[in-house]
Amino acid sequence: MSEENKQENLKENNELDSSATADATPSVPLSPEETIAALEAQIQEHQDQFLRAKAEVENARRRSMEEVAKAHKFAIEGFAENLLPVMDSLNAALLDSGEDSAKMKEGIELTLKQLMAALEKGRILEINPIGEKFDPHRHQAIAMVPAEQEANTVVTVLQKGYLIADRILRPALVTVSQPK
């Protein structure tokens, strides 16, 4: 409630108290018409206060909806800023006409490091579960193979999985050891 509304409420309460005191005083009886007029004035005042409060609530709701829409629209902005250097490196690699494959490989490795750093800043973590127990929530088994490891242990990772803020973005595709 705004400060103005609080002050108006205090004023009205004081007026009501004084009118109640005046009503209680037998020396000045109000005529029925005066009582009706006073009550109608109070009703009008309360209706006005109600409409103002309703408008204030509606404005607050509209502002909050706009803020939520902006948050959704620009939520990825920080992540996108982290990916721009990776894009620059890939474009530079495409423009390079050099034939030295060692330099090309080194450039790709550096770009991969940039990409991994950008993903980590975006709270996206890699799932590489070689040697771990199979977890159906984090891994997707493609095949079971005979192996020396304990049963239901991840033997190979065909495709790494990813977590985003401790939630599975993509499960790791794995092969799992068979029970003996």
Side-chain angles (χ1 to χ4, degrees):
M1 188 181 288
S2 71
E3 191 62 37
E4 292 175 10
N5 286 346
K6 288 179 184 177
Q7 290 176 353
E8 286 178 15
N9 284 342
L10 284 175
K11 231 193 270 185
E12 287 171 12
N13 288 339
N14 288 338
E15 290 171 5
L16 289 174
D17 290 344
S18 63
S19 67
T21 308
D23 290 344
T25 308
S27 62
V28 186
L30 294 175
S31 69
E33 293 82 19
E34 291 174 333
T35 305
I36 290 172
L39 291 174
E40 284 177 345
Q42 283 182 345
I43 289 171
Q44 184 61 39
E45 215 172 297
H46 289 192
Q47 283 178 336
D48 194 39
Q49 286 177 349
F50 169 74
L51 290 175
R52 286 182 186 178
K54 185 177 175 184
E56 190 175 322
V57 167
E58 184 61 30
N59 287 338
R61 186 185 67 77
R62 181 185 46 79
R63 278 191 305 270
S64 67
M65 287 177 62
E66 288 173 0
E67 289 173 9
V68 167
K70 281 183 184 177
H72 283 265
K73 186 176 180 180
F74 297 110
I76 195 143
E77 184 176 6
F79 183 64
E81 286 176 356
N82 292 330
L83 286 179
L84 291 178
V86 176
M87 179 70 84
D88 294 339
S89 295
L90 289 172
N91 284 327
L94 288 173
L95 293 175
D96 184 28
S97 61
E99 297 295 321
D100 189 0
S101 64
K103 282 188 178 182
M104 182 65 82
K105 182 178 180 187
E106 183 181 337
I108 291 171
E109 288 172 348
L110 289 173
T111 303
L112 180 61
K113 286 180 184 178
Q114 283 180 322
L115 179 59
M116 289 170 62
L119 291 176
E120 283 180 17
K121 286 179 185 175
R123 296 180 12 203
I124 298 173
L125 302 175
E126 187 178 278
I127 301 172
N128 190 5
I130 290 183
E132 294 179 9
K133 273 294 217 190
F134 176 74
D135 179 356
H137 300 291
R138 297 170 54 112
H139 314 133
Q140 182 176 350
I142 299 300
M144 292 188 87
V145 294
E148 295 297 316
Q149 288 101 335
E150 185 179 329
N152 294 324
T153 301
V154 174
V155 178
T156 57
V157 176
L158 304 170
Q159 186 179 56
K160 294 177 184 175
Y162 292 91
L163 295 169
I164 184 167
D166 297 327
R167 193 164 140 192
I168 298 295
L169 185 60
R170 180 178 82 187
L173 297 179
V174 300
T175 58
V176 181
S177 62
Q178 283 181 337
K180 293 181 182 182

